[in-house]
């Protein structure tokens, strides 16, 4: 409404001047160049989010998210998970005695047997996790207490570990391998699973490979001087103070799973994000003809080595099947369903509101 | 104690008897550089760390080095180092350029006369007292007193283009009657100590001769050749150096202006304080909770996580303190270094768009806009008051002689009619038909016009053409326009040129001046010569100028021209009335009027005047005052001959520009030195006053009603106007900060200089009261006109408004030296590259060729820059809040152990690489509304008024958004990690995967948030936004793909790749990004009915849905 004449004039000047002045502008040094960039006239896409564009988007989001959410929820629900707490806090717990009588010095391990019943059979691969609660693997002092170059097989670091490993750097004057608090506190309960049927006690075969990230096992973690003859390679180093065996005896039967590349060790070395966490322990391979774990009675045999009572911790064993989205977690499904419904609901509400206003200012929505 | 004057021995020759002690002066080396090679590092670092932000980051860095902190010193050291280095390199480069320029000046070869020999030397070796020789087209190496010129008339011509931009030739004079032989000249010069005013100089020269008493000559600015000026039209001159090196007037003028800070910067500092509080409270909360948590048994030092010996031994309180510092370091990214860098870069680069704008290019002067400071770009969008000069700003300062009146008879020049004598009497309302004044009076009047001025005839340049021929031909050819019309005149004021040209039309031509003789050609084409005896220069206080000439007949004549108010009291009263009517009528028509008077001086009178003038000119102290006293004494008892009217046409599109400014809610005040009537008519012409505007006048005229004293009348008038304009006006709608609807009645306020000084200087008690009343009245008027203002009063008014309640942003625009004070005083000073020299331009923050460019500068550039930088600032705080909040929340889950959530590389790179470029591109290129629309709808400017986008409400909105995002990112992933087995092969994720997922969501969300706000997608925006995201992904692969030998921990080894292999991670990332952006999308939709202005208003009226109007979105 104001000064429209002025602007039209200026516009004219611009367009008429634009084509002819390219060359002339170059001659006159002080005249600004007539480039789109310098004149702030770069061609631009000017999207205007209007109800007209957003409402369909909301509908579409709703329509996509709700099915995904339902799918996720169903997937998660189909995952079978069984969890046993074997900490032994209550007197009735089978591991009560082991937990009470624990001492670092005992050389023989205390064994306890925890019976449990699977109501439903577990199909496909079953993954066995151990879980710890109130264990701060993400404490800063703990997280940094490692020497990755030592773990990568670096010989200098083997003999003189990083300062970050303190106070688990040396013991009796010898460098500790692997050094640091994480390695020192390696989870060392041994868990075995037995199927009880018809009075017989058959051990379930537990795979201990394939539980660590491939890149960790093959690249990040390496034994010093190759996998052969670890005893020699680790000579001149001391075992972590809380360990019963030196690192080269973690799995003496399998040279590909011994020393730093022991998968239980690697899994432990990946520090958990939260104080309550689970770590993959074993994998039970799918059987061809029968369910991997048939319903029925089972017994978990624990050699109880890992003390958690001092910090109010809990120890669990989790048996779980896995889907394409990982372990059981209803969160994603619920979240997707919720967001999808909210979008859908908003779309409906907005549509109603907008319809009202559309009548009053019909011109406002015309995008160009 | 400093001596008031210095004594210089010309050529270092001791004068007569006194013992010669060579005085010490500084050498002629110009040092504009700040640093030397040796002190660069310490001095530069010291200066950089004096900035509060840099100092803060230095402290953080030092804490990281000293205390065992969660992040390595590199994370904050690297950005700081980068910033410091870049700044140092920039400043070093600038200093190197200065060194180079200095050297060029200092090593310039000059010729010094030493005991009769000409010695070549370097400029820096010149000492005070040296006699220096300068050739044509050379610049003067120091301030010189002109002793000798090769021109016959003992003058030389100089341009001061590099000093003040005035490219006309100025005449300088040698010291009168000095020896032609400089070798035998024995003289001392006594002059004031160096001072920066280019146009002031007082000195005295004592010339000693062996057989006579020493002679004394006065020295003024006309004898002083300034360093930096160039010699023109003169073969060679010799001068004695009086000021050298850093004491020259040029060097003294280069001391920087005080820096202006923008309102946005103040907002940034306020926000910074808030964030600093958030930071400190976060650190305090964490520290407290840490010790609460640790007090539970088994938590502080479980068996698996023993402390080192040193940690155990540390004192508890010291540990608490270092813990606090560690948390500070962990969260310090909330206040990013990069924001300062980005803001600086945005301002620096953004100012180029103003210089590049072709709309600001003026083909007439072949120049575009000039940006002297880039700090104030966004202030252009916040202007509430515009103070404009009239002459040269609202008007073109392109004077055209319209008419004159001689003895009460009106003469109007008509271009179309070419009467032989050029005269034609019009049938104007006042003059009587065909009646003319006596021929004698006519000629006297025209002679006065021809003589009473300081105009120079432009010398023919080397091209020659047919100028010399036509000079000869003038005598013969009658009726032909004399060549000078084409050649042109040069004068400091265009009025004078207009008058001289006007006289030429009536047959009296000023031919030029030769050795103090003025030549004019009269109607019968005979050449008359007059000796120019004295020029009583124009000054704004006296508002008149005079010359004293001696005619052929030997009479000393004084011609005086000036403003009516300054002439009328000095002439015989019976003549005044006849002419007053003309003057007033002309003034109301918007013409500039001058009255011309003359006086014949008797030989005695002249002798006395001459002596007084000489004495005053020789005075070393209070010369100005003494001169004015003498001038006043001489210019008295004159006879009024007539008056002239000169039209000063309005600037192109002045009215449209003013209308647009008013539409934008800007109040326009016109501050002028001109007369009320002239100024008022200009205001009407510019549509500042409209027909319906009720004018409230507070001028000498309204104050004098003859009955009461002025003071009482002032009091009454102020109260009356206050009642009218302030109290009786219905209050504007509450909420609307500046009132969207126009008040029903427009008021215009007019005040003149005399009344203003009464308001300001009335008795102690009432002064502040009056000032208050005055201010309130003014603020309620759409336009205020202040006429008859002295430069200082202009600045006073600006200051008064600037310091009033709400401290509104003021802008001054002017073109002349008299506007400099108000340009410097206002928040934003704008100079017009006009005709009155370059002083205004030099002192301004922005300079534009024409007034009409002000519209685009404010409504277009100013608006855009404000929106850009406001968004930039808010976005920066937002993105760092949602960056750090998850890290803070993570402390609750990691035993308050200061464990960082993100890897150090991400912490460092977040602000430098991943999120910096899109916002920089946005803040340079965004046009949320097209410039054309902004210019068409001036009201849009009101929507960002009063710092609308950087007030607490929008800040709160952004902060809440940041908090919302931060919470969402953290807890979304937290719930996902309820079961960390997220891979299809059952393997689990650790803490670094957690952080990486959060970080990925974060980077994508903040980038998309910006994309959502971007209304103007050029290819650069596309490139930078998508490029940043790609860079993040590629960098993450790269960073996690290699075992880096220099890293102590390979935390991120293949973490990113594993994350991407997990379907759950993808799902949660998509979900969280979408959920984060949902409120924003929702707001956009809800805001939509507001129309195109929605985006600016939207931040204030977030969910304001019921706006009763809509605007066509004709983008």
């Amino acid at each position: 409404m104001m000064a429209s004449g002025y602007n039209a004039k200026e516009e004219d000047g611009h367009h008429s001047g634009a084509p002819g002045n390219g060359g002339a502008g170059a001659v006159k040094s002080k005249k600004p160049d007539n480039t789109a960039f310098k004149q702030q006239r770069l061609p631009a896409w000017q999207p205007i989010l209007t109800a007209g564009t957003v409402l369909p988007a909301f509908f579409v989001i709703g329509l996509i998210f709700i099915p995904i959410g339902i799918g996720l929820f169903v997937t998660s629900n189909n995952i079978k998970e069984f969890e046993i707490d074997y900490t032994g806090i209550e007197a009735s717990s089978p591991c009560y005695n082991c937990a009470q009588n624990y001492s670092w010095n005992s050389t023989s391990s205390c064994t306890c047997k925890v019976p449990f019943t699977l109501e439903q059979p577990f199909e496909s691969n079953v993954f066995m996790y151990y879980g710890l609660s109130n264990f701060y693997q993400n404490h800063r002092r703990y997280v940094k207490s490692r020497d990755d170059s030592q773990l990568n097989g670096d010989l200098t670091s083997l003999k003189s570990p990083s300062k970050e490993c303190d106070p688990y750097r040396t013991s009796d004057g010898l460098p500790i391998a692997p050094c640091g608090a994480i390695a020192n506190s390696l989870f060392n309960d041994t868990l075995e699973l037995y199927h009880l049927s018809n009075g017989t006690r058959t051990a379930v075969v537990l795979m201990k490979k394939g539980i660590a990230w491939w890149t960790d096992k093959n690249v990040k973690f390496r034994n010093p001087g190759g996998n052969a003859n670890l005893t020699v390679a680790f000579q001149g180093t001391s075992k972590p103070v809380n360990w019963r065996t030196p690192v080269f005896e973690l799995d003496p039967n399998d040279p590909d799973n011994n020393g730093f590349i022991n998968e239980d060790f690697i899994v432990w070395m990946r520090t958990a994000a939260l104080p309550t966490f689970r770590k993959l322990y074993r994998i039970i391979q799918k059987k061809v003809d029968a369910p991997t774990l048939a319903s029925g009675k089972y017994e978990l045999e624990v050699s109880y080595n890992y003390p958690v009572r001092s910090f109010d911790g809990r120890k669990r064993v989790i048996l779980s099947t896995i889907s394409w989205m990982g372990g059981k977690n209803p969160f994603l499904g619920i979240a997707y369903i919720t967001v999808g419904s909210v979008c859908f609901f908003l779309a409906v509400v907005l549509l109603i509101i907008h319809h009202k206003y559309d009548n009053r200012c019909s011109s406002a929505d015309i995008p160009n | 104690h400093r001596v008031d004057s210095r004594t210089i021995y010309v050529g270092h020759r001791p004068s007569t008897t006194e013992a010669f002690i060579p005085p010490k002066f500084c050498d002629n080396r110009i040092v504009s550089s700040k640093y030397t090679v040796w002190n660069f590092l310490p001095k530069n670092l010291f200066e950089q760390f004096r900035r509060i932000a840099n100092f803060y980051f230095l402290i953080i860095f030092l804490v990281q080095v000293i205390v065992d902190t969660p992040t390595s010193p590199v994370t904050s050291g690297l950005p700081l180092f980068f910033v410091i280095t870049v700044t140092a390199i920039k400043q070093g480069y600038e200093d190197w350029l200065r060194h180079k320029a200095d050297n060029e000046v200092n090593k310039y070869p000059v010729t010094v006369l030493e005991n009769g020999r000409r010695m070549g030397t370097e400029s820096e070796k010149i000492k005070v007292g040296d006699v220096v020789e300068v050739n044509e087209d050379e610049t003067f190496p120091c301030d010189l007193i002109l002793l000798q010129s090769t021109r016959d008339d003992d003058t030389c011509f100089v341009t001061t283009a590099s000093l003040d931009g005035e490219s006309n030739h100025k005449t300088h004079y040698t010291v009168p009657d000095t020896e032609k032989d400089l070798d035998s000249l024995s003289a001392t010069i006594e002059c004031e100590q160096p001072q920066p005013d280019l146009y002031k100089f007082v000195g005295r020269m004592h010339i000693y001769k062996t057989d006579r008493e020493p002679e004394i000559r006065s020295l003024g600015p006309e004898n002083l050749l300034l360093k930096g000026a160039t010699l023109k039209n003169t073969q060679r001159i010799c001068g004695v150096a009086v000021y050298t090196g850093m004491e020259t007037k040029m060097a003294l003028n280069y001391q920087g202006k005080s820096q202006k800070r923008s309102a946005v910067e103040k907002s940034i500092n306020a926000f910074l304080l808030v964030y600093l509080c958030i930071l400190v409270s976060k650190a305090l909360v964490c520290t407290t909770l840490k010790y609460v948590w640790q007090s539970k048994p088994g938590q502080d030092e479980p068996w698996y996580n023993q402390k080192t010996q040193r940690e155990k031994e540390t004192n508890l309180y010291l540990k608490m303190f270092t813990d606090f510092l560690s948390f500070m370091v962990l969260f310090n990214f909330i206040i990013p270094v990069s924001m300062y860098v980005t803001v600086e870069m945005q301002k620096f680069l953004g100012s180029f768009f103003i210089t590049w704008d072709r709309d600001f290019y003026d083909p007439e002067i072949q120049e575009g806009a000039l940006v002297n400071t880039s700090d104030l770009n966004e202030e252009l969008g916040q202007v509430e008051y515009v103070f404009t000069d009239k002459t040269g700003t609202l008007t073109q300062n392109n004077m055209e002689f319209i008419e004159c009146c001689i003895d009460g008879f009106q003469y109007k020049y008509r271009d179309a009619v070419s009467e032989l004598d050029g005269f034609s009497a019009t049938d104007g309302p006042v003059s009587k038909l065909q009646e003319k004044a006596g021929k004698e009076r006519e000629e006297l009047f025209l002679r006065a016009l021809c003589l009473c001025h300081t105009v120079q005839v432009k010398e023919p340049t080397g091209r020659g053409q047919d100028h010399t021929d036509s000079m000869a031909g003038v005598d013969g050819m009658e009726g032909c326009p004399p060549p000078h019309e084409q050649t042109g005149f040069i004068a400091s004021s265009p009025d004078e040129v207009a008058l001289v040209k006007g006289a030429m039309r009536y047959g009296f031509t000023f031919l030029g001046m030769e050795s103090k003789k003025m030549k004019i050609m009269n109607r019968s084409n005979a050449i008359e010569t007059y000796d120019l005896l004295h020029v009583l220069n124009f000054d704004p206080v006296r508002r008149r100028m005079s010359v004293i000439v001696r005619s052929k007949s030997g009479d000393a004549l004084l011609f005086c021209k000036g403003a009516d108010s300054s002439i009328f009291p000095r002439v015989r009263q019976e003549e005044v009335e006849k002419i007053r009517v003309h003057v007033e009528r002309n003034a109301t028509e918007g013409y500039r009027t001058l009255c011309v008077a003359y006086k014949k001086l008797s030989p005695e009178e002249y002798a006395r005047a001459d002596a007084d003038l000489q004495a005053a000119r020789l005075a070393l102290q209070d010369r100005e005052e003494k001169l004015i006293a003498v001038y006043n004494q001489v210019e008295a008892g004159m006879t009024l001959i007539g008056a002239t009217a000169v039209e000063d046409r309005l600037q192109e599109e002045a009215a449209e520009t003013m209308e647009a400014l008013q539409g934008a809610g800007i109040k326009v005040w016109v501050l002028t030195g001109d007369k009320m009537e002239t100024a008022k008519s200009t205001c009407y012409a510019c549509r500042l006053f409209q027909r319906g505007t009720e004018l409230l006048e507070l001028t000498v005229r309204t104050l004098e009603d003859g009955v009461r004293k002025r003071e009482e009348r002032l009091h009454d008038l102020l109260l009356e106007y206050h009642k009218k304009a302030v109290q009786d006006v219905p209050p504007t709608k509450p909420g609307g900060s500046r009132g969207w609807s126009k008040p029903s009645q427009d008021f215009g306020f007019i005040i003149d200089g005399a009344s203003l000084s009464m308001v300001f200087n009335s008795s102690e008690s009432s002064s502040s009261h009056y000032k208050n009343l005055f201010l309130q009245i003014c603020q309620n008027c759409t336009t205020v006109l202040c006429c008859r203002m002295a430069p200082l009063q202009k600045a006073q008014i600006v200051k008064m408004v600037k310091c009033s309640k709400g401290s509104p942003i003021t802008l001054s625009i002017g073109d002349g030296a008299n506007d400099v004070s108000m340009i410097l005083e206002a928040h934003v000073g704008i100079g017009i590259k006009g005709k009155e020299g370059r002083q205004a331009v030099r002192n301004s923050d922005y300079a534009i060729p024409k007034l009409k460019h002000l519209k685009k500068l404010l409504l277009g550039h100013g608006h855009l820059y404000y929106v850009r930088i406001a968004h930039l600032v808010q976005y920066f705080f937002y993105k760092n809040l949602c960056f750090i909040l998850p890290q803070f929340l993570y402390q609750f889950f990691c035993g308050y152990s200061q464990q960082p959530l993100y890897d150090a590389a991400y912490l460092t790179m977040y602000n430098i690489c991943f999120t910096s470029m899109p916002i920089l591109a946005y803040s340079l290129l965004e046009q949320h509304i097209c410039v054309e629309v902004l210019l068409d709808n001036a009201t849009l400017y009101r929507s960002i008024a009063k710092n609308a986008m950087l007030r607490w409400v929008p800040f709160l909105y952004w902060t809440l958004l940041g908090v919302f995002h931060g919470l969402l990112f953290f807890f979304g992933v937290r719930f996902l990690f309820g079961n960390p087995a997220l891979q299809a092969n059952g393997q689990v994720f650790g803490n670094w995967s957690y952080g990486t997922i959060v970080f990925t969501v974060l980077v994508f969300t903040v980038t998309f948030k910006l994309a959502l706000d971007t209304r103007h997608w050029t290819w650069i925006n596309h490139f930078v936004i998508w490029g940043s995201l790609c860079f993040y992904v590629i960098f993450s692969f790269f960073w996690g793909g290699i075992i880096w030998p220099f890293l102590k921990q390979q935390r991120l080894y293949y973490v990113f790749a594993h994350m991407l292999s997990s379907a759950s991670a993808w799902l949660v990332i998509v979900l969280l990004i979408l959920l984060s952006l949902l409120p924003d999308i929702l707001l956009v939709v809800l805001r939509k009915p507001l129309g195109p202005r929605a985006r600016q208003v939207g931040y204030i009226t977030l969910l304001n849905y019921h706006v009763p109007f809509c605007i066509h979105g004709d983008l």
Side-chain angles (χ1 to χ4, degrees), chain B residues 478-603:
Chain B
E478 280 192 8
C480 251
H484 299 303
E485 191 141 29
Q486 282 88 43
T487 325
F489 299 100
I490 307 162
S492 52
S493 143
D495 291 73
E496 294 201 313
V497 177
L499 292 179
V500 172
K501 280 188 176 166
M504 196 157 81
R505 286 193 195 140
Y506 296 141
F508 274 77
T509 311
F510 174 61
L511 291 178
M513 211 163 60
E514 264 166 43
S515 54
K516 297 232 160 193
K517 283 189 198 310
M518 297 177 99
K519 283 206 242 170
I520 58 174
M521 186 166 67
N522 62 14
R523 279 197 216 162
S524 49
N525 283 324
I527 292 181
E528 302 174 7
T529 46
Y530 292 86
D531 288 335
L532 179 62
L533 301 172
H534 284 286
V535 176
L536 283 59
N537 277 323
F538 177 85
D539 67 71
V541 184
R542 264 165 67 238
R543 305 178 56 80
R544 61 178 180 273
M545 64 93 52
S546 310
V547 290
I548 302 176
V549 294
R550 192 190 303 278
S551 66
K552 271 263 173 67
S553 54
D555 297 330
L557 293 168
L558 176 129
F559 292 108
C560 178
K561 71 168 194 275
D564 52 339
S565 61
S566 65
I567 297 280
F568 286 164
R570 311 190 150 264
V571 297
R572 288 200 286 275
Q573 288 308 307
E574 61 269 19
E575 297 152 351
V576 171
E577 284 318 309
K578 287 191 286 182
I579 288 180
R580 190 197 289 277
V581 270
H582 286 273
V583 171
E584 285 183 356
R585 185 177 49 82
N586 283 334
T588 44
E589 278 170 21
Y591 300 140
R592 295 160 70 86
T593 56
L594 283 177
C595 294
V596 183
Y598 96 109
K599 172 174 155 187
K600 202 175 232 172
L601 295 171
S602 65

Side-chain angles (χ1 to χ4, degrees), chain B residues 81-100:
Chain B
F81 179 75
F82 176 76
V83 169
I84 298 284
T85 317
V86 167
T87 317
I89 287 173
K90 183 178 151 247
Q91 290 179 349
Y93 174 70
E94 283 171 357
D95 209 54
W96 179 72
L97 286 183
R98 271 184 239 124
H99 270 288
K100 231 174 77 173

Side-chain angles (χ1 to χ4, degrees), chain A residues 240-261:
Chain A
V241 283
N242 286 2
W243 285 19
R244 299 239 164 89
T245 55
V247 67
F248 47 85
E249 284 170 24
L250 280 176
D251 191 353
N253 306 324
D254 184 355
D256 275 345
N257 195 28
N258 202 5
F260 289 157
I261 56 170

Side-chain angles (χ1 to χ4, degrees), chain A residues 127 207-214 217 257 263-264 267 280-283 285, chain B residues 985-988:
Chain A
F127 293 77
M207 297 270 304
K208 53 181 162 186
K209 282 203 177 166
I211 56 173
W213 290 11
W214 189 91
K217 163 110 180 165
N257 195 28
E263 291 204 21
D264 281 327
V267 166
L280 189 53
Y281 185 65
R282 294 291 181 261
I283 300 171
Q285 288 283 358
Chain B
N985 58 7
Q987 292 171 356
V988 295

Side-chain angles (χ1 to χ4, degrees), chain A residues 76 81 83 129-133 272-279 316 318 320 322 325-332, chain B residues 890 893 969-983 986-991 993-994 997-998 1064-1065 1068:
Chain A
S76 175
E81 201 177 82
E83 195 174 315
Y129 298 90
Y130 59 86
L132 290 175
S133 294
L274 299 166
T276 299
F277 59 89
R278 62 173 74 172
K279 282 183 187 289
R316 292 160 297 146
I318 302 120
S320 167
I322 284 290
M325 55 171 285
K328 193 183 183 86
N329 192 350
F331 163 70
L332 268 182
Chain B
Y890 193 55
F893 296 89
F969 301 158
F970 183 79
F971 284 107
V973 183
R974 161 75 187 79
F975 286 121
L976 184 75
F977 267 69
N979 182 351
L982 292 169
Q983 283 181 276
Q987 292 171 356
V988 295
F989 279 167
N991 65 323
S993 301
Y994 191 111
I997 295 176
V998 173
S1064 296
V1068 86

Side-chain angles (χ1 to χ4, degrees), chain B residues 447-464:
Chain B
R447 282 198 185 97
L449 289 190
C450 272
L451 293 172
C452 181
H453 57 74
T454 53
V455 174
Q456 287 169 32
V457 177
K458 203 175 200 171
E459 299 255 321
T461 42
R463 292 171 302 180

Side-chain angles (χ1 to χ4, degrees), chain B residues 413-433:
Chain B
Y413 180 76
R414 276 198 299 227
D415 272 321
V417 190
S418 58
E419 288 176 49
L420 198 69
D421 62 354
F423 255 130
S424 79
T426 62
D427 44 359
V430 186
S431 69
K432 295 177 188 70
L433 212 82

Side-chain angles (χ1 to χ4, degrees), chain B residues 664-897:
Chain B
I666 300 171
K667 292 193 171 151
V668 181
W669 292 32
V670 179
L671 310 183
T672 175
D674 219 332
K675 291 179 23 199
M676 191 191 98
E677 288 76 18
T678 320
K680 203 159 94 181
S681 63
T682 309
C683 284
Y684 274 112
C686 293
R687 285 178 237 167
L688 285 171
F689 291 154
Q690 316 245 331
R691 200 168 293 160
T693 310
E694 187 177 343
L695 296 184
L696 312 174
E697 268 183 45
L698 192 71
T699 56
V700 179
R701 208 171 57 188
T702 54
L703 286 180
E704 264 173 36
D705 63 348
V707 188
R708 278 164 301 171
K709 279 204 297 180
R710 277 185 177 196
E711 282 73 18
E712 290 171 25
R713 181 85 181 124
L714 177 76
H715 182 81
D716 293 350
L717 271 180
L718 272 176
L719 283 181
E720 185 195 324
Y721 292 157
H722 186 261
K723 190 165 178 305
K724 227 187 236 175
V726 183
Q727 291 164 0
D728 288 355
V729 172
T732 43
K733 265 190 293 176
S737 52
R738 222 196 280 180
W740 283 71
S741 56
K742 279 195 169 180
S744 47
Q745 171 68 48
D746 277 350
F747 289 103
F749 191 73
I750 304 177
I751 189 166
D752 63 2
S755 316
L756 186 77
S757 57
M758 276 174 70
V759 171
F760 279 127
N761 304 328
S762 52
S763 58
E764 284 298 310
S765 55
S766 52
S767 172
S768 62
H769 177 60
Y770 284 170
K771 243 169 132 173
N772 245 332
L773 283 179
F774 172 61
L775 192 62
Q776 284 181 9
I777 297 168
C778 289
Q779 281 169 341
N780 275 34
C781 292
T782 41
T783 303
V784 175
L785 166 62
C786 306
C787 40
R788 295 283 192 223
M789 289 282 134
L792 205 65
Q793 279 182 316
K794 291 185 178 184
Q796 251 179 345
I797 293 218
V798 175
K799 193 171 185 179
M800 178 188 78
V801 173
K802 199 168 95 174
C803 301
S804 69
K805 204 172 127 252
S807 43
I809 307 294
T810 55
L811 178 145
S812 292
I813 178 163
D815 72 324
N818 58 341
D819 306 316
V820 169
S821 58
M822 77 173 181
I823 284 176
L824 289 177
E825 183 67 47
H827 290 100
V828 187
I830 295 196
I832 292 211
K833 298 177 168 177
K835 298 206 165 119
E836 289 187 24
R838 282 287 164 112
Q839 286 205 55
V841 172
R842 270 197 307 154
N843 288 292
S844 64
D845 303 309
Y846 300 89
I848 45 177
K850 286 269 167 66
L851 176 78
K852 65 173 178 181
H853 299 137
L854 186 65
K855 181 176 166 185
K856 191 178 182 190
L857 191 65
L858 296 190
L859 303 190
H861 287 281
H863 191 132
L864 288 181
Y865 279 120
Y866 176 73
V867 171
R868 288 167 182 174
I869 201 141
H871 198 274
L872 168 78
V873 170
Q874 298 279 25
Y875 178 76
F876 247 100
F877 280 111
Y878 147 79
K879 86 177 163 100
N880 284 289
L881 182 64
C882 59
F883 173 47
I884 285 307
L885 192 66
Q887 183 134 282
F888 168 70
L889 294 170
Y890 193 55
Q891 300 310 308
F892 292 84
F893 296 89
C894 72
Y896 311 96
S897 58

